[in-house]
């Protein structure tokens, strides 16, 4: 069941209930953010391990300055490590996005309730007036306070980094892992086609 912000009506008598509900939703929000950070940490750990393993494998393969068919199992392992790491990285990104979507839902629910908070309600109304007076682009036009704050921050950030904002990190992490596979593929190709057994 979804609750529309326009359908929610709390009187001042229920401001304590709103505060309790906000506290509860904020704990749910924090939990989702913590889970999202966990997946990002795991993704970084997998990328680090991939680079360490691939460096060791490349060192063993090329250490004797002679590529031979005996090195094929290691080059194939290098390809497999890179592919596995890329897929694993993308899976962690998918889980991260899931937790961020849940966190956003909890944040939106908090945003609906904030005007009814016994302490923060007045402060938020002052903040909304300040935004609408100082920045014509940030007028609320019916939007909630947290969304207006986020929209303004996103707009300023995108204006400051117009090119970098479109370069998504999950592509770089997966690409880094796939480079390992490409190196393994190149070494395999060299061994098969340029180092034939006599």
């Amino acid at each position: 069941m979804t609750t529309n912000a326009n359908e929610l009506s709390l009187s001042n008598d229920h401001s304590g209930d709103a505060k309790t509900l906000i506290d509860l939703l904020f704990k749910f929000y924090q939990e989702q953010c913590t889970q999202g950070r966990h997946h990002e940490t795991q993704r970084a750990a997998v990328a680090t391990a991939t680079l360490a393993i691939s460096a060791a494998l490349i060192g063993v393969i090329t250490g004797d300055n002679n590529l031979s068919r005996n090195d094929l199992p290691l080059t194939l392992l290098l390809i497999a490590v890179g592919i596995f790491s890329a897929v694993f990285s993308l899976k962690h990104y998918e889980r991260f996005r899931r937790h961020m979507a849940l966190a956003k839902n909890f944040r939106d629910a908090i945003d609906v309730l904030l005007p009814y908070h016994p302490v923060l309600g007045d402060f938020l109304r002052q903040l909304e007036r300040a935004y609408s007076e100082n920045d014509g682009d940030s007028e609320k036009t019916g939007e909630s306070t947290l969304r207006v704050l986020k929209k303004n921050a996103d707009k300023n950030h995108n204006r400051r980094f117009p090119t970098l904002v479109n370069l998504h990190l999950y592509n770089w992490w997966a690409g880094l892992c796939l480079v390992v596979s490409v190196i393994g593929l190149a070494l395999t190709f060299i061994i098969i086609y340029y180092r034939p057994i006599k």
Side-chain angles (χ1 to χ4, degrees), residues 44-123:
V46 167
T48 302
T50 299
L51 292 177
I53 292 168
S54 62
L57 287 173
I58 292 170
V60 171
I61 293 167
T62 61
D64 58 359
N65 292 324
N66 182 31
L67 294 176
S68 69
R69 298 265 174 155
N70 294 334
D71 294 320
L72 275 178
L74 295 178
T75 62
L76 295 175
L77 179 59
L78 196 59
I79 294 169
V81 165
I83 291 172
F84 171 80
S85 300
V87 172
F88 200 73
S89 176
L90 291 172
K91 179 59 182 174
H92 273 297
Y93 176 72
E94 176 268 325
R95 301 308 293 170
F96 169 78
R97 292 309 312 160
R98 176 182 180 272
H99 288 296
M100 291 303 98
L102 288 167
K104 179 187 179 301
N105 286 341
F106 289 127
R107 187 185 67 215
D108 289 346
I110 291 169
D111 201 13
V112 169
L113 293 169
L114 278 178
Y116 303 99
H117 192 280
V119 177
L120 295 176
D122 289 336
F123 170 73

Side-chain angles (χ1 to χ4, degrees), residues 59-186:
V60 171
I61 293 167
T62 61
D64 58 359
N65 292 324
N66 182 31
L67 294 176
S68 69
R69 298 265 174 155
N70 294 334
D71 294 320
L72 275 178
L74 295 178
T75 62
L76 295 175
L77 179 59
L78 196 59
I79 294 169
V81 165
I83 291 172
F84 171 80
S85 300
V87 172
F88 200 73
S89 176
L90 291 172
K91 179 59 182 174
H92 273 297
Y93 176 72
E94 176 268 325
R95 301 308 293 170
F96 169 78
R97 292 309 312 160
R98 176 182 180 272
H99 288 296
M100 291 303 98
L102 288 167
K104 179 187 179 301
N105 286 341
F106 289 127
R107 187 185 67 215
D108 289 346
I110 291 169
D111 201 13
V112 169
L113 293 169
L114 278 178
Y116 303 99
H117 192 280
V119 177
L120 295 176
D122 289 336
F123 170 73
L124 291 174
R125 282 185 281 280
Q126 292 172 8
L127 189 63
E128 291 165 10
R129 281 195 296 274
Y131 264 103
S132 62
E133 290 169 5
N134 295 331
D135 186 357
D137 292 337
S138 63
E139 279 194 52
K140 282 192 63 173
T141 63
E143 287 188 294
S144 55
T145 305
L146 292 179
R147 285 189 185 177
V148 171
L149 293 173
K150 183 183 180 310
K151 185 183 283 186
N152 279 298
D154 287 345
K155 184 176 69 176
N156 291 333
H157 177 81
N158 294 348
R159 191 182 307 139
R160 189 169 178 198
F161 303 101
T163 304
L164 291 175
V165 76
N166 294 316
L167 299 176
H168 302 291
L169 276 176
Y170 72 93
N171 289 327
W172 289 91
W173 283 112
L176 183 64
C177 296
L178 288 176
V179 165
V180 171
S181 289
V182 169
I183 292 171
L185 199 60

